Structure formats: C-alpha cells, structure tokens
Amino acid sequence: MPSGKFEIIIAGGGISGAAIALFLSPLNTNVTILESRPSRPTSAEGGMLMLAPNGMHVLNGLDLAHKLLQRDSGVHIPWITINDSAGGLIGKLPYGSGERYGFASTMVMRWDIHDVLLNNVEKNCLDIKWDAQVNATEEYDDGIIVRWNENGLPKDKKVDLLIGADGIWSAARPSMFKCLGLSVPQPKYSGLVGIGTIVDIDSIPGFSGFLSLERPCVMIHGRQGFVGVALFDKLGKKVGWWTTHEAADRSREEWKIQKEQAFREMRDRYAGWAFPVPQLIAAAEASGDQLFVWPVFEIEKLSHWHSRRTVLIGDAAHAMPPHSGQGVSQSLEDAGYLAYLLRQYLAKTSYSAQGFNVADLTSTLATFQAGRQPRVNEIVDEANRRGSQKKEHSAIGEFTKKWTMKIVFFFMQESWTDGWFGYKVPGIDEWAVMRGSAST
C-alpha cells in the first residue's frame, strides 16, 4: 500500500460516489471507485427527481452545475401548485427560487446528474471498476483490507479509507457494522410504491396549458394516493408524471410488475380523479414507453455512520424517502462535507512509516457524522410525515389534511424554506479557488 498518498476505495459509483471522487481527486489521494453495475449506463434510467438549490450548490463546487443546466430535462420549479383530486386548488408551495438561493429547484432526470458526473470522472481519468462489488473488509491500525468481486474474480487491496456510497442496499454497511461488533440494520419496505413515466404532451387531449414554465409542477392529493405532474423539458414538449400510493410488499422479482398489471391497478385506483390524471395514465399506456416502478424502502436511523476506517454517505448512511425532494441533494451534501473534512485532515497530516494518523482520521469521520446527522434526521422526519399524507385516508382524514394544507399554504412565506434551500456545505466555495490556483 505505501505510496505516500492517501489511498481510498469508494464503494459505489452513483451520484454521491462519483461526486466525492471528483472532490478528492485533486488532493494527495489515490481514489478507486468500485461500481456493481456491469458498465456505464448509456440510456436514461432512474426516473425524474427534484434537485434543490442546496444540492445544486454542491455541483457548483465541482463546476458542474452549469453543465447540468444545459441539458434538455432541467426545468426550474420555484413554486409547486397543490391540487385536490377533484381538480380544486389547495395552494402554492414555495420550493426554492433562483432569485433567493442562487439556484432554483430543478426537475431533472437522475441519469442526467449521473452522466454529467461520470463525464468528469472519465475526463479526469479516475479509476472506476465496473461489475465490482465489496463483499468483506478487515480493519487494522495501519489500513483496511477491502475484498471485492470484479467480473466474477476475487480482488483485494489494503487502503487507508473505505467510503460506502453504495445506496440503501449497501454492501459496505454490513462489513462496517461487523467490524464494530454490532448487528446489521436491514432495509424495510415502507408500504408505499412509486410508479411513473414520461409522455408527449401532444398525446394528452386538452393538456396544453395545464402546465407552463410559469406553472411547471402540479402535485395532486386525494384519498387513494398522490400524483405529481411536471414539465420534463424546457421546450415544453414532454411531461413527467408519477404516483405514490400504498401497495402490499412483494419479492424483488415480483416488483418487476408487468405493464398491463400496473396500468390496470392505476386505472382502478384513480378512475374518479379529475383531469388530467386518468388521461395521463391512458396516454402512458398507449405510448408503450418504459414505466419506472420503485418501491420505497427505508432503514432505521443508524447509530454509527463510521468505524475507524470506513465511512458511509448518502443512502448507505441514511436512506432518504423520496417525499422531501432532498434525496440526491443530501447525498451531494454528504460528499461535499466529507471531502471538505478530509481536505483539512490531509492538510495537517502526512505519511509516515506507520501510515496516516488513524486517530485523527477517526476523529474526522466522527466530525462528519456529528455535522451531518441532525440535519439529515430532520429532513428524514419531514419526508416521512409527507409520505404518510400519500397513504389512503378516510373522508374525514382527507378533509382534515386538505384544510390543514390550505391554512399552512395561505400563511407560508418563502423564507420558511431557508433552512433547507439556503444551506451551503462548509467550504463548498473554496474548491473553485483551488481549481483556479491549480490552473495558474
């Protein structure tokens, strides 16, 4: 292992894994990414998501925000219109304007974010190994041995730090908890499933004008579930829509629901809802396009995000329910903050015969958890509260929910969202200064 550089393996080459690799690459590090997918994705996958201003600021720290915003799918969502299932207006929810926060909340394909990051991973010639998944670790005073399978072959390497960025089904998490001598937490199904797709606006009779760049997103609450509708592209030619509702648990294979079954269930569930929900379902069924199905899993709040030489970030540390619109933004915040702390650690420590100082490293990882977990827990709690609103309700329960939302939205000010959207990861603007110094 001795190279004089801080050796890091990142388990997971998704959004958070690629982001932290890019942050760390200019430092005194050797970074290797292990990604379980067989190869780089070449077509859109993963559906639409909301990237909030706080997440966009992290991408800006990598000088990538402008590249993402150049893509066709990025539509700004400063406000969300909330309707009931009969088509009535409940209110408008401020959701992060560019004027207030520097960047606006943006509806974008998950694939676009990942693709922008991977383009830069390749541009910077970072070492990413596909079809590679961690299966065991052994921690010692002078390093951690990471064992993985790569293209079916066993591999191992002794490094200074393992960063687990491999999602809710993390392989790094069980190894870390076993090193700590603790029982391994397991993901559990939340009782909610999301289904959605993207369709041409022209395929929906009468839809023109329902959405616009001034009203780009409408979310609809009803007794049977929830439906979101948003412009997909800046030209206004496509619309993305998704539903979240209760569903019985199934095996992983059974979650690969046949299209016919999924559409039949949605038609029955939303038959009595006002325009455009039944029309969106019909247009999606007629199009034959890919249907995204994602059961919502959750994991208990972890007591440990790190050991001496392993640290978890993103959904590996705190599976973020999708109901807050903060999942990717929180993963990016994790990447930006951990990179900032490791930058400080490497600035004050150096390689010796005993390697890098493990006590200071463990202290750095503890600072990361202490700095991130309260904020993340607050957002997870709010996401769970919003998720409960998407479950089936009685008529009285739905009436109460609707009028509570009406009152809140009537009084709500944009400043109420400053805690979420106005947050900046410590040191995030310093990376631009570093890039400027390196280029001169």
Side-chain angles (χ1 to χ4, degrees):
M1 186 179 74
S3 66
K5 292 199 171 198
F6 192 71
E7 299 277 349
I8 301 171
I9 285 180
I10 300 172
I15 290 173
S16 60
I20 196 165
L22 289 168
F23 275 120
L24 294 174
S25 61
L27 307 180
N28 183 36
T29 60
N30 278 332
V31 177
T32 300
I33 305 170
L34 305 180
E35 171 52 43
S36 62
R37 277 174 277 206
S39 60
R40 176 174 174 172
T42 57
S43 60
E45 60 179 39
M48 295 171 65
L49 58 82
M50 191 80 78
L51 183 60
N54 48 302
M56 195 70 81
H57 277 292
V58 179
L59 283 182
N60 198 49
L62 290 169
D63 195 29
L64 296 179
H66 68 286
K67 292 185 179 180
L68 179 64
L69 292 173
Q70 290 170 357
R71 301 224 163 180
D72 291 340
S73 70
V75 175
H76 291 168
I77 312 286
W79 293 83
I80 295 175
T81 301
I82 310 293
N83 284 357
D84 61 28
S85 59
L89 176 67
I90 294 177
K92 288 182 68 178
L93 174 66
Y95 219 75
S97 67
E99 292 77 15
R100 188 173 186 87
Y101 301 115
F103 290 101
S105 288
T106 304
M107 190 69 74
V108 65
M109 288 290 289
R110 175 183 290 273
W111 181 83
D112 277 318
I113 304 173
H114 195 203
D115 196 52
V116 165
L117 289 164
L118 288 179
N119 284 344
N120 257 46
V121 165
E122 293 184 356
K123 178 182 176 182
N124 286 275
C125 300
L126 301 188
D127 183 18
I128 181 166
K129 301 182 185 299
W130 299 97
D131 197 13
Q133 183 166 355
V134 172
N135 54 41
T137 61
E138 300 166 24
E139 295 195 17
Y140 299 95
D141 289 341
D142 63 343
I144 176 172
I145 297 176
V146 181
R147 305 187 189 280
W148 71 92
N149 288 327
E150 183 180 337
N151 296 313
L153 297 175
K155 300 285 184 74
D156 64 79
K157 185 178 181 181
K158 192 172 187 179
V159 296
D160 296 294
L161 178 66
L162 170 65
I163 299 175
D166 48 348
I168 189 171
W169 300 101
S170 171
R173 188 197 309 121
S175 292
M176 188 194 85
F177 271 76
K178 287 175 183 175
C179 285
L180 292 169
L182 301 172
S183 59
V184 179
Q186 299 295 331
K188 295 180 180 178
Y189 177 54
S190 69
L192 291 168
V193 62
I195 301 175
T197 190
I198 298 163
V199 295
D200 292 330
I201 285 179
D202 290 344
S203 69
I204 310 164
F207 190 86
S208 179
F210 182 79
L211 294 180
S212 65
L213 291 176
E214 289 70 41
R215 193 174 94 145
C217 182
V218 176
M219 295 188 176
I220 306 165
H221 287 263
R223 287 182 58 187
Q224 296 81 13
F226 162 90
V227 175
V229 189
L231 284 181
F232 171 74
D233 62 319
K234 299 181 182 77
L235 297 177
K237 293 184 177 181
K238 292 182 179 292
V239 58
W241 67 273
W242 64 99
T243 168
T244 306
H245 57 259
E246 287 186 276
D249 195 8
R250 316 178 190 206
S251 68
R252 187 169 287 192
E253 283 301 312
E254 288 173 328
W255 276 119
K256 298 174 183 177
I257 304 171
Q258 295 296 318
K259 283 186 178 181
E260 295 79 6
Q261 177 186 348
F263 281 117
R264 182 174 65 252
E265 292 175 358
M266 286 190 291
R267 284 197 308 270
D268 292 344
R269 178 177 293 273
Y270 297 115
W273 284 37
F275 179 90
V277 175
Q279 290 78 9
L280 284 165
I281 296 170
E285 187 171 15
S287 74
D289 290 341
Q290 180 182 5
L291 193 65
F292 299 104
V293 178
W294 56 96
V296 179
F297 282 83
E298 55 194 15
I299 196 163
E300 65 187 68
K301 293 174 182 174
L302 302 184
S303 57
H304 294 78
W305 289 15
H306 70 92
S307 57
R308 290 193 303 166
R309 291 191 176 272
T310 302
V311 61
L312 307 176
I313 66 173
D315 279 357
H318 49 78
M320 183 68 63
H323 320 299
S324 67
Q326 279 283 326
V328 166
S329 294
Q330 291 308 302
S331 291
L332 287 168
E333 284 187 13
D334 283 354
Y337 186 50
L338 179 59
Y340 166 71
L341 294 176
L342 289 173
R343 191 180 83 201
Q344 292 184 318
Y345 165 76
L346 291 171
K348 66 183 182 182
T349 191
S350 58
Y351 183 79
S352 69
Q354 292 76 39
F356 291 88
N357 188 298
V358 67
D360 287 348
L361 175 61
T362 305
S363 176
T364 297
L365 303 183
T367 299
F368 168 71
Q369 180 175 348
R372 290 291 301 147
Q373 194 164 25
R375 173 171 169 81
V376 166
N377 284 351
E378 176 188 320
I379 294 173
V380 168
D381 289 343
E382 175 61 17
N384 285 329
R385 187 192 68 80
R386 295 182 185 184
S388 68
Q389 293 180 341
K390 299 174 182 179
K391 294 183 177 181
E392 295 183 22
H393 295 281
S394 66
I396 294 175
E398 186 63 23
F399 176 87
T400 302
K401 180 182 79 171
K402 173 180 172 178
W403 281 96
T404 300
M405 293 171 74
K406 274 181 172 286
I407 293 168
V408 170
F409 294 153
F410 180 80
F411 290 103
M412 191 169 188
Q413 304 293 316
E414 191 174 12
S415 60
W416 292 13
T417 63
D418 286 353
W420 282 23
F421 301 144
Y423 177 84
K424 269 193 174 185
V425 170
I428 198 64
D429 294 329
E430 297 170 10
W431 297 95
V433 177
M434 288 178 57
R435 282 195 302 274
S437 300
S439 63
T440 57

